[in-house]
Amino acid sequence: MHDPFSVPLINRARDRIVSSLVKAMVSPAGSPEKTRDLVSHFSKHRIIHGLEEIYGFDHSQVQALLQQPGGRQAVWNLVRSISEYGIGAPQTLKAPLSVVWSLSYGCNLRCMHCYQNASRPSSKELTLDQQLSIVDQMAQAGVSMVVLSGGEPLTNPNLRRLIDGIREHDMAMSIDSNGVLMDGKTAESLKRSGVGSVELSLDSVDPASHDSFRGLEGAFKKTVNAIDICSEAGIFTTVATTATTLNYAQSSELISLARSHGADRVVFFDLIPAGRGREIEELRLSRRQLLDLMGLVKQESSTNRIEVFTELPQFIVYSSIGNGYSECKHAEKALSIERFTVSTFFDCTGQDNIYRKFATYLGGCPAGRLYCNIQPNGDVTPCMFTPEYPVAGNLKNQSFEEIWNGATFQSLRDRTRLKGKCRECKFAIVCGGCRAKAAAYERDYLASDPTCPIQTAG
């Protein structure tokens, strides 16, 4: 198979030259809290404009990014990263673009697949003072977005205090919710507080099936209503589905349902056997079904009035097959913060596709590279789907920056550390396999992804 992501020699030379120039002009040190002034300073010296010209970024998109919450942090993070590490494939960052924060084990549902195994709050959870200190640490490090998750974050009595703390630092905010407790007043409050996006879980077009999967009668009606409410409030709304053999045949219908209720995006997650997910491992999709799902997503993402993608790193490779023209209607959102809430698994159809152009630098699986997870007890892990292993450190006795720069995350940024077929694969840089699946199935987060649909078994 031809590698559509290989970086030409002339581009590698360009990257080395640009890296040297940025290193000469920018100190990687300095507080991200001074980002507004620093970006303004750099703009005067045409650094950002130079990067736009050399790499083909649209000037208006970059300027729009700088006006978004978290946008200035993202730009400064990239500039500091280039200054310290140079331009690399995949790119190493001084700070994660986003952090998914599992605030508590408390939840109002009992979902069959819950990787967090959430039910009731634990006495080991972080205190509010500890959480607010972590907010300060993330801002100091240069984090662009914080995704507040759970359990169910809308049950958290300290949610508003945390949102206010995050807003003070101009980081972008998102909420992951089951949607059951969402009403018009809550949505308007979130919007006014600066929450830019929400992700609402919907696992079937059949109310009884969704309710059974989520463990609450009436959950379907409330979640669909939440999609309406959030979209009408002007919040970027994602419908998230865990793909299993129970709902796999409904994928196209689910996209249509989400679109009809005003959602901006649909994302399909694969079942990860973590938490209660271990109890329903037999519901996972086969390799053939994963290929078919990627085919559907590729088709729908090009023709729909809604974004569609799947949290499979192999989707980058799958969608790049063939050199046809991309019909994607969402290129104008390419640099929006919401596009990078967690994922880098975008549709790469067509040589004109901006994500295909930079896929090698984004580097597929973002765990421990572009984002990380904070557990309710302060443990920091590479991914929300790796709640127990590997643990890179704990924020009760280490700083956020210490953990981000520690050995566990360093190993995830070096694709030569991968093992088995993932290391041997020519798409190791642009894909890297799912690290959460390696951790769950192999108990080795650097092992080969055992469910990879584009590698043969053996």
Side-chain angles (χ1 to χ4, degrees), residues 343-354:
S343 183
T344 55
F345 307 149
F346 299 118
D347 181 4
C348 290
T349 303
Q351 290 185 334
D352 63 305
N353 191 302
I354 187 170

PDB file of all heavy atoms in Angstrom, residues 343-354:
ATOM      1  N   SER A 343      -9.799  14.265  19.799  1.00  0.00           N
ATOM      2  CA  SER A 343      -9.403  13.412  18.691  1.00  0.00           C
ATOM      3  C   SER A 343      -8.452  14.061  17.703  1.00  0.00           C
ATOM      4  O   SER A 343      -8.433  15.272  17.526  1.00  0.00           O
ATOM      5  CB  SER A 343     -10.650  12.957  17.935  1.00  0.00           C
ATOM      6  OG  SER A 343     -10.322  12.070  16.897  1.00  0.00           O
ATOM      7  N   THR A 344      -7.669  13.206  17.044  1.00  0.00           N
ATOM      8  CA  THR A 344      -6.956  13.590  15.834  1.00  0.00           C
ATOM      9  C   THR A 344      -7.266  12.583  14.739  1.00  0.00           C
ATOM     10  O   THR A 344      -6.505  12.419  13.804  1.00  0.00           O
ATOM     11  CB  THR A 344      -5.427  13.643  16.069  1.00  0.00           C
ATOM     12  OG1 THR A 344      -4.996  12.375  16.581  1.00  0.00           O
ATOM     13  CG2 THR A 344      -5.059  14.731  17.039  1.00  0.00           C
ATOM     14  N   PHE A 345      -8.394  11.907  14.869  1.00  0.00           N
ATOM     15  CA  PHE A 345      -8.747  10.827  13.945  1.00  0.00           C
ATOM     16  C   PHE A 345      -9.684  11.345  12.858  1.00  0.00           C
ATOM     17  O   PHE A 345     -10.808  10.880  12.701  1.00  0.00           O
ATOM     18  CB  PHE A 345      -9.422   9.673  14.697  1.00  0.00           C
ATOM     19  CG  PHE A 345      -8.636   9.170  15.874  1.00  0.00           C
ATOM     20  CD1 PHE A 345      -9.270   8.647  16.970  1.00  0.00           C
ATOM     21  CD2 PHE A 345      -7.247   9.220  15.877  1.00  0.00           C
ATOM     22  CE1 PHE A 345      -8.558   8.167  18.062  1.00  0.00           C
ATOM     23  CE2 PHE A 345      -6.518   8.750  16.964  1.00  0.00           C
ATOM     24  CZ  PHE A 345      -7.169   8.231  18.060  1.00  0.00           C
ATOM     25  N   PHE A 346      -9.240  12.331  12.086  1.00  0.00           N
ATOM     26  CA  PHE A 346     -10.118  12.976  11.140  1.00  0.00           C
ATOM     27  C   PHE A 346     -10.116  12.282   9.782  1.00  0.00           C
ATOM     28  O   PHE A 346      -9.198  11.555   9.430  1.00  0.00           O
ATOM     29  CB  PHE A 346      -9.720  14.445  10.968  1.00  0.00           C
ATOM     30  CG  PHE A 346      -9.802  15.230  12.233  1.00  0.00           C
ATOM     31  CD1 PHE A 346      -8.682  15.824  12.783  1.00  0.00           C
ATOM     32  CD2 PHE A 346     -11.008  15.369  12.897  1.00  0.00           C
ATOM     33  CE1 PHE A 346      -8.758  16.542  13.958  1.00  0.00           C
ATOM     34  CE2 PHE A 346     -11.101  16.083  14.077  1.00  0.00           C
ATOM     35  CZ  PHE A 346      -9.979  16.678  14.607  1.00  0.00           C
ATOM     36  N   ASP A 347     -11.165  12.567   9.020  1.00  0.00           N
ATOM     37  CA  ASP A 347     -11.292  12.062   7.665  1.00  0.00           C
ATOM     38  C   ASP A 347     -10.176  12.666   6.807  1.00  0.00           C
ATOM     39  O   ASP A 347     -10.052  13.879   6.684  1.00  0.00           O
ATOM     40  CB  ASP A 347     -12.673  12.458   7.121  1.00  0.00           C
ATOM     41  CG  ASP A 347     -12.911  11.963   5.710  1.00  0.00           C
ATOM     42  OD1 ASP A 347     -12.049  11.249   5.172  1.00  0.00           O
ATOM     43  OD2 ASP A 347     -13.968  12.288   5.154  1.00  0.00           O
ATOM     44  N   CYS A 348      -9.370  11.811   6.205  1.00  0.00           N
ATOM     45  CA  CYS A 348      -8.243  12.278   5.385  1.00  0.00           C
ATOM     46  C   CYS A 348      -8.465  11.988   3.899  1.00  0.00           C
ATOM     47  O   CYS A 348      -7.509  11.817   3.141  1.00  0.00           O
ATOM     48  CB  CYS A 348      -6.941  11.639   5.866  1.00  0.00           C
ATOM     49  SG  CYS A 348      -6.380  12.248   7.474  1.00  0.00           S
ATOM     50  N   THR A 349      -9.717  11.926   3.476  1.00  0.00           N
ATOM     51  CA  THR A 349     -10.032  11.663   2.076  1.00  0.00           C
ATOM     52  C   THR A 349      -9.557  12.812   1.191  1.00  0.00           C
ATOM     53  O   THR A 349      -9.839  13.975   1.464  1.00  0.00           O
ATOM     54  CB  THR A 349     -11.550  11.486   1.895  1.00  0.00           C
ATOM     55  OG1 THR A 349     -12.010  10.443   2.741  1.00  0.00           O
ATOM     56  CG2 THR A 349     -11.882  11.152   0.451  1.00  0.00           C
ATOM     57  N   GLY A 350      -8.850  12.488   0.118  1.00  0.00           N
ATOM     58  CA  GLY A 350      -8.475  13.487  -0.876  1.00  0.00           C
ATOM     59  C   GLY A 350      -7.162  14.180  -0.599  1.00  0.00           C
ATOM     60  O   GLY A 350      -6.837  14.519   0.543  1.00  0.00           O
ATOM     61  N   GLN A 351      -6.391  14.396  -1.651  1.00  0.00           N
ATOM     62  CA  GLN A 351      -5.085  15.043  -1.493  1.00  0.00           C
ATOM     63  C   GLN A 351      -5.206  16.492  -1.066  1.00  0.00           C
ATOM     64  O   GLN A 351      -4.250  17.071  -0.559  1.00  0.00           O
ATOM     65  CB  GLN A 351      -4.304  14.938  -2.807  1.00  0.00           C
ATOM     66  CG  GLN A 351      -3.843  13.528  -3.128  1.00  0.00           C
ATOM     67  CD  GLN A 351      -2.969  13.463  -4.360  1.00  0.00           C
ATOM     68  OE1 GLN A 351      -3.052  14.317  -5.247  1.00  0.00           O
ATOM     69  NE2 GLN A 351      -2.128  12.463  -4.428  1.00  0.00           N
ATOM     70  N   ASP A 352      -6.365  17.093  -1.262  1.00  0.00           N
ATOM     71  CA  ASP A 352      -6.568  18.489  -0.888  1.00  0.00           C
ATOM     72  C   ASP A 352      -6.898  18.648   0.588  1.00  0.00           C
ATOM     73  O   ASP A 352      -7.010  19.766   1.083  1.00  0.00           O
ATOM     74  CB  ASP A 352      -7.719  19.075  -1.717  1.00  0.00           C
ATOM     75  CG  ASP A 352      -9.036  18.354  -1.430  1.00  0.00           C
ATOM     76  OD1 ASP A 352      -9.052  17.116  -1.565  1.00  0.00           O
ATOM     77  OD2 ASP A 352     -10.019  19.018  -1.075  1.00  0.00           O
ATOM     78  N   ASN A 353      -7.062  17.548   1.311  1.00  0.00           N
ATOM     79  CA  ASN A 353      -7.550  17.569   2.672  1.00  0.00           C
ATOM     80  C   ASN A 353      -6.500  18.121   3.633  1.00  0.00           C
ATOM     81  O   ASN A 353      -5.372  17.626   3.682  1.00  0.00           O
ATOM     82  CB  ASN A 353      -7.950  16.148   3.082  1.00  0.00           C
ATOM     83  CG  ASN A 353      -8.708  16.094   4.381  1.00  0.00           C
ATOM     84  OD1 ASN A 353      -8.220  16.537   5.413  1.00  0.00           O
ATOM     85  ND2 ASN A 353      -9.907  15.530   4.339  1.00  0.00           N
ATOM     86  N   ILE A 354      -6.878  19.128   4.424  1.00  0.00           N
ATOM     87  CA  ILE A 354      -5.917  19.773   5.318  1.00  0.00           C
ATOM     88  C   ILE A 354      -5.440  18.813   6.405  1.00  0.00           C
ATOM     89  O   ILE A 354      -4.281  18.853   6.822  1.00  0.00           O
ATOM     90  CB  ILE A 354      -6.524  21.049   5.948  1.00  0.00           C
ATOM     91  CG1 ILE A 354      -5.435  21.803   6.741  1.00  0.00           C
ATOM     92  CG2 ILE A 354      -7.725  20.717   6.827  1.00  0.00           C
ATOM     93  CD1 ILE A 354      -5.867  23.176   7.199  1.00  0.00           C
TER      94      ILE A 354
END
